[in-house]
Amino acid sequence: MGKNSRFTRACAAALTFSLAAGSIGIAPAVNAGAAETEEAQIADKYSKEGYHLAWHDEFNGSSLNTKDWNVEAHEPGWVNSELQSYVDEAHVSDAVTLSDGILKIQPTAKAKDASKTDDVSDYDFTSGRINTQGKHDFTYGRFEARVKVPTGKGYLPAFWLMASNEGLYGQWPKCGEIDIAEVMGQETNKSYHTIHYGYDNGSGHKQNQGTDVLTDESFADSYHVFALDWEPGKLTWYVDDKPVYTTSDWYTGTDDNNQI
């Protein structure tokens, strides 16, 4: 398999939404009347391709199931110089809500001083960040979510995978990252599909990236299914069942002399 043959550690799914106000909806990929029919349809969706259903969440409850999901709390600027803080589990309902089978991650902006609202620095931003680390971790398989994104400069909803054991090779980017889908709020007709990899030695971080561009609509107009097939030595991204990008070239390691 070459260098990528050892990059096979379990990954956890993550959902994030960055910056200001708006919402990202994560809805079930299959809708059905009765619960048992829904379960059967989901399980059978890819059975002809040799898959079996390992886990799913249709968000049918009234609040986030923290037996399945972790709530990540972080201060502003924790990553990528982002403006928002990420709420903790005690305040998760302020940013992550469920209704009618749809999960919404809803950022908010609150003025620090009601008399000063002219600049982005006059606001405190909060948002939600959830993952399945330690609860649902997988090596290889098909990962998918049905997503509708918001419109507006600064929004960056993401559906992605991170290593369950980030310390195995070292912190990002050594641990790797697979972005199943990212859509920028100022360009909602274009989706990004990326693997980040490499080692943190100067410019050692690399990425392979594909995109998908809609010509007649945007990803903010309606729900679209984003999926990833993770096979030994191969990654394939899909948008609404259409393959949009594939790669078989990546590596990781602890230093210059230990790349696999």
Side-chain angles (χ1 to χ4, degrees), residues 45-46 49 51 140-144 227-230 238 241:
K45 185 175 182 183
Y46 298 116
E49 298 178 50
Y51 289 94
Y140 306 136
R142 178 166 291 177
F143 304 81
E144 73 170 36
L228 170 80
D229 271 351
W230 179 16
Y238 299 83
D241 295 325

Side-chain angles (χ1 to χ4, degrees), residues 3-229:
K3 285 186 175 180
N4 58 19
S5 63
R6 291 284 302 282
F7 190 61
T8 59
R9 301 298 176 174
C11 286
L15 298 169
T16 62
F17 192 43
S18 302
L19 193 57
S23 65
I24 173 175
I26 308 295
V30 177
N31 294 308
E36 59 271 17
T37 302
E38 178 183 67
E39 188 81 17
Q41 287 187 345
I42 296 168
D44 290 342
K45 185 175 182 183
Y46 298 116
S47 61
K48 291 182 180 179
E49 298 178 50
Y51 289 94
H52 70 275
L53 182 65
W55 175 74
H56 68 100
D57 191 343
E58 301 306 302
F59 304 116
N60 290 324
S62 58
S63 61
L64 185 71
N65 185 352
T66 52
K67 292 182 179 179
D68 290 325
W69 296 95
N70 304 303
V71 179
E72 285 192 56
H74 298 291
E75 293 300 313
W78 174 76
V79 65
N80 297 332
S81 300
E82 293 177 356
L83 298 177
Q84 77 281 349
S85 61
Y86 289 106
V87 299
D88 58 20
E89 187 171 334
H91 300 89
V92 67
S93 60
D94 296 335
V96 181
T97 61
L98 274 70
S99 62
D100 300 322
I102 296 173
L103 169 77
K104 290 185 178 181
I105 300 178
Q106 179 79 47
T108 59
K110 183 178 180 181
K112 299 174 184 177
D113 183 340
S115 64
K116 294 180 63 179
T117 58
D118 297 328
D119 187 80
V120 68
S121 62
D122 296 328
Y123 293 85
D124 286 324
F125 298 93
T126 58
S127 188
R129 183 182 180 105
I130 60 176
N131 68 62
T132 66
Q133 186 177 21
K135 297 176 178 179
H136 299 287
D137 305 274
F138 304 98
T139 302
Y140 306 136
R142 178 166 291 177
F143 304 81
E144 73 170 36
R146 183 170 174 260
V147 179
K148 182 180 179 182
V149 304
T151 300
K153 186 176 180 180
Y155 296 136
L156 184 60
F159 170 38
W160 48 308
L161 303 178
M162 283 288 291
S164 299
N165 180 4
E166 295 180 36
L168 181 66
Y169 299 115
Q171 292 300 308
W172 193 95
K174 296 177 187 176
C175 62
E177 174 186 329
I178 305 172
D179 297 320
I180 300 175
E182 295 176 294
V183 179
M184 296 189 291
Q186 70 271 29
E187 193 180 19
T188 56
N189 69 321
K190 186 176 185 179
S191 59
Y192 294 83
H193 315 280
T194 314
I195 178 172
H196 299 270
Y197 62 97
Y199 55 97
D200 193 10
N201 180 16
S203 59
H205 167 228
K206 295 186 178 183
Q207 68 178 38
N208 305 339
Q209 184 178 82
T211 60
D212 185 49
V213 178
L214 302 180
T215 56
D216 299 324
E217 60 171 329
S218 84
F219 292 108
D221 293 333
S222 59
Y223 284 92
H224 294 267
V225 177
F226 298 98
L228 170 80
D229 271 351

